[in-house]
Amino acid sequence: MERKSLFIEIILPLPIKGTFTYRVPYELNEEISIGKRVVTQFGRKKIYSGIVRDVHENAPKNYTAKYILGIIDAFPIVEEKDLQFWEWIAEYYMCNIGEVMNAALPSGLKLSSETQIIIHPDYDGDFSGLNEKEKNIIEALGYQKMLDLSTIEDITEQKKIFPLINTMVEKGILIIKEELHDEYKVKKEKFISINRVLVEDESKMKEVLDQLTSRAYKQMEIMMCLLRDGDKTQNYFLKKDKLLDISGGSSQQIKALEEKEILVQEEIETSRLEKFQKSKAIDSFQLTELQQGALKEVKSSFAENKVCLLHGITGSGKTEIYIHLIEEQLKKNKQTLYLLPEIALTTQIINRLKKYFGDVVGVFHSRFNKNERVEIWQKVLNKEYKIIIGARSSLFLPYKDLGLIIIDEEHDNSFKQYEPAPRYHARDSAIYLGQKRKANVILGSATPSIETYYNATSGKFSLVSLNKRYGDAGMPEILVADMEKETKQRTKKSHFSSLLLKEMQDALDNKKQIILFQNRRGFAPRLECSSCHWMPMCKHCDVSLVYHKHADFLKCHYCGFSQKVMEKCPECGSGTLQLRGFGTEKIEEEIPLYFPNAKAKRMDLDTTRKKTAYQQIIQDFEDRKIDILVGTQMLSKGLDFNHVSLVGILNADNMINYPDFRSFERSFQMISQVSGRAGRREEKGKVVIQSYRPHHDVIRFAIDNNYQEMYNTQILERRNFLYPPFCRLIKITLKHKDRDVINACAMELAIAYRAKFGKRILGPEYPMVSRIRSFYIKDILVKLEKGISLKDAKLHLGEIAEKTLKDGSFKGVRVIFDVDTV
DNA sequence: AGCACGCCGACT
DNA sequence: GTCGGCGTGCTC
């Protein structure tokens, strides 16, 4: 029979262009197919797992392809359509396919190799001529036949170990080896059962038990526990940990029983993922008439294969509509993807869906470790999960039969990934994916993004509105504290207006809870010199350091650099450093001054770094152990509290004044979002906005809850000044360690771009933070009006940049393209 | 991304 | 004299 020479194109999880061609050994010809992982040697040392993109018979002309080392999967882990999606992302967002693979595959599915050191088989054990460290290494290799580099670092107590190892390799003592290891480990648990022979023979069992009673009483107790609690249908099968726990016995005792062939131990593969029971209490609910109408509209929009925007104010019951739509997909045996911003993926919403749909619901977000992610991947792949609730990266899970994509909180800009590449927008990518996989797409928001609302009103998407609050709960009353006036009249106390203080007192008197928002960490506490106003800055970044009170040190929020607080101002040498600005920490601290009996707690990145800390605070607040919760935006998403009657926005201005064409829209969204936390059902809540510009349009529109007006003014501005949705924005970021190089380079690139794109090029400009980790940064912005070929434009942008950067003086300048920057 | 190859400063 | 710094270019 003819033996075909097969070659494959593989994607490697590296930021390099294109795919790589490898050769398939004949014996694997039958097994090879697109979407499987293969093990490959890449370069001289590294071993990677790559994904087969293509199988063909064309031998490369300019080089001889290496053979692949093996095939990992019996079945493909991604299919053709997934790979096409990856390719679309790579092309649209101007990055390499390997970078998409990196984002798409859980790290547990990417094998990696690690350098290992072993003793040369011919080494005779001669210690002469070796120094202390070399002897130590050999000694350690006597115990463990293989050592990795970090262990050797520990043994030798030095950082640079390569010279040492290299000389030992040259002397023929050691060998360097690349050891490949599977990142994913199946979780196994030990189970104990009673030997079948005994279970089936009562008299023998009795004999054994009698013997144990007289000779080994503890072992007898273990047996009794097993007989009582073990699964009687499976030879009294019980988890070993549980048995140890209830019997108070030890592993040795169980082992002794095993040796006597009384007990049998086995290891069983188990899932790391929580099992969920469908709650019988909630199996159906009635939609209101309005909701039914909306549902009908959504369905007819789906019938036309249109993306549907569900514009529903907070509390109007969008989730119930989603649940109905998901149920329909379940009936058709299709999968649903429910995308949410990471921050909104709280236990509240997850529990609700899990209770409703049971264990066909899978959750996917960054708080899962790599083993858990692999298990979720596998359960999507084999369709065990019908519903996936997840953050943006769940877009890449291996759906087999996707019928519906829900993108809730559609306007949230955290759907856009910025670092690292691929810099994709999950909402826009989901719309592409929906088309590709013939799945319906529904976008939901109380405050849709201007772009989406434009699409929905111009006919590209369909628009369904749901503008009544569920159960007729009223919208909260929004009050504005005029900070200018309060400052003049001296009624303001520190960061609190008299209005806010009064409302807080009222709420506390009524035994209600309060949430205070301190948006953005830009207002984190800083130190400032009392005499010369100098501020401690980061030495690697162009930002001031943030003061962390609990540990009394200064920290850079961009690069993580930290240092101790200096005694005296190093600039003028005389002044002392004083606290300035106000973060959540400062607010939390001030509350007891005004409300000595109230329990206040703060929630921000610092207090919630630990996985459970976040949940604990939420739980305590729900249990009313906390009266006043001070927090950042993270409190405004995906959480509902029943006893909150007042929400305070401490500083609305720093958002409104942010120098960005989206700041108006964002401020409106933020105020609306936050207001939604005040008052539930029949009780009307209150919101107090503190601002120095109380008559600003955005505050007016928010008070009137007038999305339409807000949209009208914004769309006009966007049209006049040519901003999205009337153009596309591509941001080109240049980075270099030298300020002069970056300036010259950015200028020259902008000139080259202008020659091609004319006035569509803005900049170069320093971004808000102009230096991060010792790299100076400059941005060039490209505005591409509708009708211009995006594909061509991107091609030119790439080519011109490449040509300009070839100039010798610009060596080392890094370029980043950010398509549809937010 | 990693890693090898290659050309210039402070040290056994 | 060498070790080792990181600049540049390649990886199928």
Side-chain angles (χ1 to χ4, degrees):
Chain A
M1 202 179 92
E2 195 198 353
R3 286 166 107 200
K4 264 197 237 168
S5 268
L6 289 186
F7 292 88
I8 53 176
E9 297 302 313
I10 69 159
I11 304 168
L12 290 171
L14 299 171
I16 2 178
K17 220 177 133 194
T19 54
F20 289 81
T21 311
Y22 280 81
R23 194 167 171 176
V24 182
Y26 294 120
E27 61 272 23
L28 295 179
N29 276 6
E30 294 292 307
E31 256 183 83
I32 199 79
S33 69
I34 291 174
K36 287 186 181 179
R37 287 174 302 160
V38 290
V39 186
T40 55
Q41 173 130 42
F42 184 68
R44 186 134 32 133
K45 284 206 154 158
K46 281 285 160 180
I47 292 169
Y48 287 103
S49 59
I51 294 257
V52 180
R53 176 64 195 99
D54 241 322
V55 183
H56 57 79
E57 290 177 52
N58 315 320
K61 299 212 164 50
N62 309 321
Y63 55 88
T64 33
K66 280 183 184 166
Y67 280 101
I68 55 164
L69 304 176
I71 299 174
I72 299 172
D73 302 300
F75 300 98
I77 61 160
V78 287
E79 53 181 272
E80 175 66 29
K81 276 181 186 163
D82 295 314
L83 294 168
Q84 284 172 15
F85 181 49
W86 292 11
E87 280 158 356
W88 178 82
I89 297 252
E91 194 202 299
Y92 188 88
Y93 292 104
M94 298 178 83
C95 67
N96 300 300
I97 190 81
E99 290 171 311
V100 185
M101 172 179 172
N102 250 335
L105 281 195
S107 58
L109 287 176
K110 287 172 259 172
L111 299 179
S112 69
S113 66
E114 193 176 15
T115 306
Q116 298 280 344
I117 307 299
I118 56 173
I119 288 190
H120 196 288
D122 296 339
Y123 173 61
D124 54 7
D126 182 11
F127 265 35
S128 62
L130 297 182
N131 65 33
E132 244 353 88
K133 283 177 178 167
E134 290 172 332
K135 283 181 199 162
N136 286 342
I137 294 175
I138 294 166
E139 220 167 280
L141 281 167
Y143 298 112
Q144 261 175 287
K145 60 177 198 281
M146 205 181 270
L147 293 175
D148 60 36
L149 296 182
S150 67
T151 316
I152 292 184
E153 281 172 14
D154 292 343
I155 293 168
T156 57
E157 291 173 332
Q158 67 181 51
K159 268 251 109 59
K160 287 175 190 129
I161 49 168
F162 254 107
L164 186 70
I165 292 168
N166 281 337
T167 50
M168 290 176 77
V169 170
E170 277 161 30
K171 285 182 199 167
I173 303 170
L174 300 181
I175 293 180
I176 299 176
K177 205 178 148 186
E178 286 294 302
E179 189 70 10
L180 195 66
H181 43 131
D182 214 327
E183 296 273 321
Y184 173 68
K185 293 265 184 323
V186 176
K187 186 177 170 186
K188 286 184 179 159
E189 280 177 334
K190 289 175 178 143
F191 285 85
I192 303 292
S193 55
I194 297 176
N195 195 334
R196 247 182 64 202
V197 183
L198 294 181
V199 178
E200 280 161 10
D201 187 338
E202 233 175 278
S203 62
K204 239 184 194 164
M205 173 83 97
K206 195 172 180 308
E207 190 185 317
V208 164
L209 287 177
D210 285 345
Q211 220 168 34
L212 289 177
T213 314
S214 55
R215 297 247 211 94
Y217 191 72
K218 194 67 215 179
Q219 291 178 19
M220 152 71 188
E221 275 185 352
I222 292 173
M223 289 299 289
M224 293 320 283
C225 287
L226 201 53
L227 285 166
R228 192 186 62 217
D229 290 345
D231 182 349
K232 290 174 183 62
T233 61
Q234 290 186 66
N235 301 327
Y236 302 92
F237 192 73
L238 192 66
K239 200 156 131 184
K240 188 179 177 188
D241 290 347
K242 182 137 191 234
L243 180 61
L244 289 173
D245 190 40
I246 54 174
S247 65
S250 69
S251 276
Q252 283 76 38
Q253 288 155 354
I254 290 180
K255 202 163 176 209
L257 285 164
E258 273 179 68
E259 275 160 14
K260 293 178 203 163
E261 292 184 356
I262 299 169
L263 295 186
V264 180
Q265 176 168 262
E266 51 193 316
E267 275 196 318
I268 292 187
E269 283 183 21
T270 47
S271 169
R272 277 169 245 261
L273 306 169
E274 223 180 316
K275 278 268 175 210
F276 246 83
Q277 285 298 307
K278 213 167 175 165
S279 162
K280 289 196 180 70
I282 338 166
D283 43 22
S284 82
F285 52 82
Q286 205 61 46
L287 290 183
T288 65
E289 220 167 284
L290 274 171
Q291 285 172 320
Q292 279 178 27
L295 182 64
K296 223 175 122 190
E297 284 181 61
V298 171
K299 283 194 211 164
S300 67
S301 143
F302 284 174
E304 290 175 59
N305 280 324
K306 264 190 171 177
V307 173
C308 179
L309 167 64
L310 180 59
H311 179 200
I313 58 172
T314 326
S316 60
K318 289 192 290 291
T319 317
E320 283 86 352
I321 292 184
Y322 299 152
I323 288 176
H324 265 259
L325 293 170
I326 294 170
E327 221 155 45
E328 267 168 33
Q329 296 301 324
L330 282 181
K331 278 182 204 146
K332 287 191 265 180
N333 197 24
K334 289 198 165 189
Q335 290 169 305
T336 300
L337 165 60
Y338 189 150
L339 276 179
L340 275 163
E342 176 87 37
I343 196 172
L345 276 166
T346 55
T347 33
Q348 283 189 350
I349 179 91
I350 293 166
N351 284 346
R352 185 161 172 202
L353 286 164
K354 281 196 167 173
K355 266 188 193 149
Y356 195 86
F357 291 110
D359 55 17
V360 294
V361 175
V363 181
F364 194 72
H365 57 64
S366 66
R367 278 187 287 245
F368 285 115
N369 67 34
K370 61 183 179 192
N371 283 319
E372 290 167 330
R373 286 180 210 210
V374 172
E375 290 187 13
I376 296 164
W377 179 281
Q378 286 162 347
K379 288 194 176 192
V380 176
L381 190 62
N382 61 31
K383 283 194 83 173
E384 220 173 296
Y385 281 152
K386 299 279 196 269
I387 303 155
I388 284 290
I389 316 170
R392 57 170 185 252
S393 60
S394 44
L395 207 53
F396 295 110
L397 289 169
Y399 303 98
K400 274 273 140 93
D401 205 353
L402 193 60
L404 174 68
I405 307 177
I406 299 164
I407 302 138
D408 204 8
E409 311 284 355
E410 161 285 322
H411 62 277
D412 195 291
N413 59 0
S414 68
F415 278 128
K416 179 73 161 61
Q417 169 151 311
Y418 181 62
E419 272 297 301
R423 299 178 172 79
Y424 65 105
H425 199 303
R427 182 232 293 143
D428 302 343
S429 306
I431 292 171
Y432 172 84
L433 186 69
Q435 244 167 39
K436 176 131 214 92
R437 312 213 65 143
K438 304 214 176 350
N440 295 128
V441 177
I442 182 167
L443 313 177
S445 176
T447 51
S449 67
I450 301 287
E451 287 94 324
T452 298
Y453 202 74
Y454 176 79
N455 283 333
T457 48
S458 66
K460 189 176 174 198
F461 301 165
S462 61
L463 173 63
V464 177
S465 296
L466 202 56
N467 40 26
K468 258 237 166 70
R469 259 187 141 172
Y470 195 81
D472 259 345
M475 285 305 283
E477 183 185 353
I478 302 183
L479 308 169
V480 188
D482 184 341
M483 298 304 271
E484 182 82 58
K485 202 163 122 195
E486 292 229 11
T487 308
K488 271 189 201 146
Q489 298 176 350
R490 295 176 180 277
T491 50
K492 191 182 92 151
K493 288 184 179 138
S494 180
H495 303 299
F496 296 91
S497 60
S498 60
L499 178 68
L500 180 56
L501 287 175
K502 178 191 157 286
E503 292 298 337
M504 286 174 76
Q505 192 61 59
D506 279 0
L508 291 173
D509 289 346
N510 289 321
K511 303 262 176 294
K512 291 292 176 187
Q513 288 174 301
I514 300 166
I515 299 178
L516 297 181
F517 285 96
Q518 174 54 55
N519 43 313
R520 312 210 127 252
R521 63 176 185 190
F523 257 70
R526 280 135 226 273
L527 297 181
E528 192 183 273
C529 171
S530 54
S531 65
C532 73
H533 296 286
W534 174 86
M535 248 189 198
M537 304 290 286
C538 176
K539 36 172 171 172
H540 312 292
C541 311
D542 175 34
V543 287
S544 50
L545 295 169
V546 173
Y547 179 61
H548 287 247
K549 183 171 170 289
H550 54 94
D552 193 37
F553 72 104
L554 296 161
K555 188 173 178 182
C556 172
H557 278 189
Y558 281 84
C559 72
F561 167 79
S562 68
Q563 69 177 73
K564 278 205 260 175
V565 177
M566 35 291 233
E567 296 280 312
K568 285 254 182 288
C569 168
E571 193 68 11
C572 65
S574 59
T576 52
L577 297 172
Q578 288 179 338
L579 199 57
R580 276 216 33 179
F582 68 122
T584 48
E585 197 166 327
K586 189 87 190 299
I587 302 290
E588 180 195 15
E589 214 177 279
E590 279 181 11
I591 288 170
L593 300 177
Y594 311 114
F595 309 103
N597 298 320
K599 277 154 289 168
K601 188 98 190 158
R602 107 192 122 92
M603 181 155 109
D604 54 27
L605 273 176
D606 280 340
T607 51
T608 54
R609 216 163 289 272
K610 273 174 262 134
K611 198 173 169 178
T612 49
Y614 171 86
Q615 292 229 4
Q616 190 57 53
I617 294 176
I618 297 294
Q619 193 60 53
D620 285 352
F621 194 59
E622 272 181 350
D623 298 345
R624 314 196 65 176
K625 289 178 191 160
I626 299 169
D627 302 308
I628 304 172
L629 190 54
V630 186
T632 51
Q633 219 99 325
M634 69 197 294
L635 270 178
S636 67
K637 309 251 167 90
L639 293 170
D640 275 325
F641 301 107
N642 280 319
H643 304 286
V644 174
S645 72
L646 175 67
V647 163
I649 299 170
L650 292 159
N651 183 344
D653 299 331
N654 65 30
M655 187 144 229
I656 297 171
N657 297 334
Y658 196 80
D660 179 295
F661 74 95
R662 276 183 234 269
S663 67
F664 196 103
E665 173 190 2
R666 290 220 184 106
S667 306
F668 182 85
Q669 285 161 348
M670 187 272 287
I671 298 172
S672 308
Q673 192 82 244
V674 161
S675 307
R677 303 304 118 210
R680 303 301 303 162
R681 309 285 140 145
E682 54 293 323
E683 279 176 273
K684 203 165 163 172
K686 273 188 185 175
V687 178
V688 174
I689 304 174
Q690 300 197 136
S691 169
Y692 283 86
R693 304 172 68 183
H695 304 297
H696 194 284
D697 277 352
V698 108
I699 293 179
R700 220 185 66 226
F701 295 149
I703 291 174
D704 299 343
N705 190 32
N706 197 339
Y707 177 83
Q708 196 60 48
E709 250 332 280
M710 189 282 295
Y711 173 77
N712 291 344
T713 59
Q714 282 307 293
I715 201 75
L716 206 64
E717 274 196 28
R718 302 273 179 104
R719 197 191 302 268
N720 286 341
F721 298 100
L722 192 63
Y723 274 107
F726 300 103
C727 74
R728 289 185 180 281
L729 295 177
I730 301 179
K731 189 171 79 180
I732 296 114
T733 300
L734 300 172
K735 292 187 182 182
H736 195 268
K737 292 211 177 192
D738 190 306
R739 184 179 222 124
D740 298 331
V741 173
I742 203 77
N743 278 327
C745 180
M747 193 49 84
E748 193 155 323
L749 185 58
I751 290 167
Y753 276 161
R754 278 207 179 86
K756 174 85 196 161
F757 292 98
K759 62 175 172 41
R760 296 184 188 91
I761 305 296
L762 304 183
E765 253 177 53
Y766 284 114
M768 287 276 277
V769 178
S770 67
R771 191 174 57 120
I772 296 176
R773 291 170 196 272
S774 303
F775 278 88
Y776 288 93
I777 306 167
K778 267 209 156 164
D779 289 339
I780 295 172
L781 197 65
V782 191
K783 283 180 172 181
L784 298 169
E785 68 273 25
K786 285 279 153 75
I788 238 182
S789 159
L790 193 60
K791 213 172 164 174
D792 289 351
K794 280 190 268 196
L795 213 67
H796 288 126
L797 288 170
E799 278 173 6
I800 295 171
E802 206 176 312
K803 222 163 80 192
T804 309
L805 294 192
K806 256 199 191 131
D807 186 313
S809 54
F810 299 150
K811 273 190 180 138
V813 177
R814 318 249 296 152
V815 205
I816 294 168
F817 292 96
D818 184 15
V819 180
D820 293 342
T821 185
V822 289

